Every structure is written in C-alpha cells, then in structure tokens.
Amino acid sequence: MSKKNRIVIKVGTSTLTNELGNSDLRTVEQLALVLADIQNMGHEVILVSSGAIAIGAQKMHLAEKPKELRMKQAAAAVGQCENMFLYDKFFGYYNKTVAQILLNADDIIDEEKKENLVNTFETLLEQEVIPIVNENDSVSYTEIESEEKLFGDNDMLSAVVAVLCRADKLIILSDIDGFYDKDPRLSKTAKLISRIEAIDESTYKLAGGAGSRRGTGGMKTKLQAADTATAQGIDVIVTNGKNPRILYDIMSGKKVGTLFVAQK
Ligand code: ADP
C-alpha cells in the first residue's frame, strides 16, 4: 500500500443538494461509499460537510431560503440532524462509524479547547471512526450572517481542521471542476488552471464573487482556505464533487481539478 494519508474532504451545499434544495441522495451515498473505501485502503478520513440550513429549510417546508438569523439557526438545527442521519445510514451500510463535531471560531482560538479538540480528533481516527465536521450554526452567527464570512461556507473551516489535524491533503469538492482563470459561469473562454505553485494577489483577482445560489463561498473563500492550508505544508485540491469517485483518482495520484501546492 502507498503511504497512509490523513485527508480532509470538504463538501459544499451545492454538492449535497439538488436544484430543488433537497438532499442529493445519490451523491451522498456515493460519497459514503468512496470515503469508506478510502478508509479501507488504510487512510484516515475527515469529512467537513455543510448544507444544514438548506436541508433544514426544506424539511421544515419553508417557502423560501430563510433570511432571518433565528430562522436560519433553527433550520440549521433541523438540517444538521437530517444530514447526520443520512451519513450515519449510508456510512453504516459500509460498516463505518461516523461522529459529529460542531465547531465555532472560539473553539479553535482558545488553547485549552483547541487541545481537547485535537485529542478528540486523534482518538476518533485511532478508533477508525470518520469525524464529520460542521460549524455550529445554531449557536454562532459569524458564518451565516457576516459579510466577510469567517469560515466561508466551511471552506476556511476545512482548512483550519486540516491544519489542526496535520492532514496530508485537503480536498475541496465544489460544483465546478476546479479553479479557472475567470468565472466559467460568466465566460465561455475560461480555462482550468491545473496547478498553482503559490497564491498571491493576482490569483485572488481571478476569483469572482460568491458562487451558486445554493453554495455561498464562491472561489474566494476556497482560495483563502488553500492559502491557509498550503502555508502549513498541506496540498489542497479543488475539484467537482458531483462524482465522488473522482477521489479514487486523487488518491492514486492522477491530476484532477486544481492542485494548490504545499509551501513547505
Ligand atoms: P460550493 O457550494 O461548492 O462551495 P460555491 O458556489 O460557493 O460552491 O463556489 C463555486 C462557484 O464559484 C462556481 O460555481 C463559480 O461560479 C464561482 N467562481 C468564481 N470565480 C471562479 C473561478 N475563477 N474559477 C472557478 N469558479 C469560480
């Protein structure tokens, strides 16, 4: 077997839900299969998953995406439960145990909390459990309310988790094949950049504003996440999550999506 790798995989709302805002069951099921399989190959897997508000809003039969903070937080509480139920079921099908970890920014800033968190992750991974991480949206409001989103639909959260757990790789699954030289939804001539050696101001200029209707981060927050993780020696790959089998290609070293090269 190749070297044992610790990988963090981030999936966004646009990957986990379909056009109607319902759970995309096929993608969730395939994601569980592929991640279970990657763990079977001897690797360690941590999943960072958003989508709680969108799924909760659907389950509560809200007519539209909630705008008010308290309704968003209520929807997050309902949706988080539904998401974990689905993950538990699909991963359970492949005989895997999952664990839920909900985080806020201060859980990582406070040294004692941070140490506890690292110990929890290490213990779960030792026990071959797959941790599933999300921001604790029902308690904090940084992520869902602020303009400059701290964790940017979990993109930054996934980088923070990757650094905290000293991961070998961070894979960000999006609704697009990778990072382009301009927003491909606005320009037909946009070209995929397969490798970025270093992120600087000129790279940020290529990223448009917030992305899809269901996703919220867009490429800017993915770049910030890649910046944080690569600076700590972690390779970051941004690619399309609609076919989770693409993770097999990544694990076998094939060129997929955009690779942001680790800086040390
Ligand atoms: P997710 O839910 O996966 O986080 P987002 O919708 O937040 O997805 O972000 C992905 C979107 O970012 C793409 O669909 C695209 O419209 C937009 N985008 C802006 N600039 C770029 C770029 N340079 N390359 C690729 N996508 C870009």
Side-chain angles (χ1 to χ4, degrees):
M1 190 193 95
S2 57
K3 174 185 164 279
K4 175 173 171 172
N5 269 302
R6 179 173 288 188
I7 31 171
V8 174
I9 296 106
K10 185 257 168 177
V11 274
T13 307
S14 55
T15 304
L16 296 172
T17 59
N18 62 22
E19 282 300 326
L20 299 175
N22 292 322
S23 290
D24 185 334
L25 294 175
R26 181 169 42 182
T27 304
V28 180
E29 186 186 31
Q30 287 205 359
L31 187 67
L33 162 68
V34 176
L35 294 184
D37 220 6
I38 289 175
Q39 201 201 46
N40 282 348
M41 293 169 195
H43 302 297
E44 291 173 329
V45 172
I46 298 170
L47 179 62
V48 176
S49 171
S50 8
I53 297 176
I55 296 296
Q58 201 69 21
K59 203 163 186 196
M60 290 162 84
H61 307 292
L62 303 182
E64 52 176 19
K65 205 173 164 182
K67 293 187 184 69
E68 249 185 307
L69 177 63
R70 65 192 199 107
M71 195 57 98
K72 283 186 191 171
Q73 295 192 301
V78 172
Q80 181 63 25
C81 201
E82 173 72 8
N83 278 349
M84 285 311 296
F85 171 71
L86 286 180
Y87 282 130
D88 200 30
K89 201 161 56 171
F90 286 132
F91 276 101
Y93 193 68
Y94 303 107
N95 209 17
K96 297 294 173 194
T97 303
V98 296
Q100 168 181 264
I101 297 200
L102 296 176
L103 294 179
N104 291 326
D106 31 321
D107 296 329
I108 291 149
I109 295 161
D110 181 297
E111 277 304 318
E112 199 184 315
K113 284 187 181 175
K114 184 168 144 184
E115 199 185 313
N116 288 338
L117 195 58
V118 170
N119 290 338
T120 305
F121 272 118
E122 290 295 338
T123 310
L124 288 170
L125 293 171
E126 243 169 61
Q127 297 296 316
E128 297 183 354
V129 171
I130 298 175
I132 301 183
V133 188
N134 195 3
E135 174 154 42
N136 198 354
D137 282 332
S138 297
V139 175
S140 80
Y141 57 88
T142 44
E143 163 70 5
I144 43 188
E145 283 299 281
S146 73
E147 274 304 310
E148 267 304 304
K149 289 172 189 296
L150 189 66
F151 285 153
D153 193 31
N154 279 352
D155 289 326
M156 198 45 143
L157 177 65
S158 70
V160 168
V161 168
V163 172
L164 209 63
C165 298
R166 298 187 316 280
D168 299 285
K169 255 193 235 319
L170 167 62
I171 302 168
I172 299 182
L173 298 178
S174 182
D175 63 347
I176 197 116
D177 291 346
F179 186 64
Y180 287 73
D181 59 357
K182 43 185 153 321
D183 187 344
R185 296 201 196 282
L186 303 176
S187 166
K188 282 204 175 101
T189 60
K191 285 191 186 60
L192 182 79
I193 308 174
S194 57
R195 191 179 169 95
I196 292 192
E197 296 290 342
I199 299 166
D200 55 28
E201 256 179 58
S202 64
T203 326
Y204 278 100
K205 287 204 180 107
L206 307 178
S212 63
R213 196 168 40 85
R214 284 170 293 125
T216 48
M219 273 298 147
K220 189 177 159 211
T221 54
K222 287 171 187 54
L223 279 183
Q224 288 165 336
D227 214 349
T228 302
T230 53
Q232 298 299 318
I234 301 165
D235 279 333
V236 178
I237 292 152
V238 175
T239 189
N240 202 318
K242 273 299 161 196
N243 179 8
R245 283 171 191 268
I246 207 159
L247 292 168
Y248 288 125
D249 293 339
I250 297 176
M251 295 314 288
S252 61
K254 287 193 189 137
K255 275 189 196 160
V256 166
T258 303
L259 167 68
F260 296 89
V261 182
Q263 296 302 302
K264 55 182 183 187

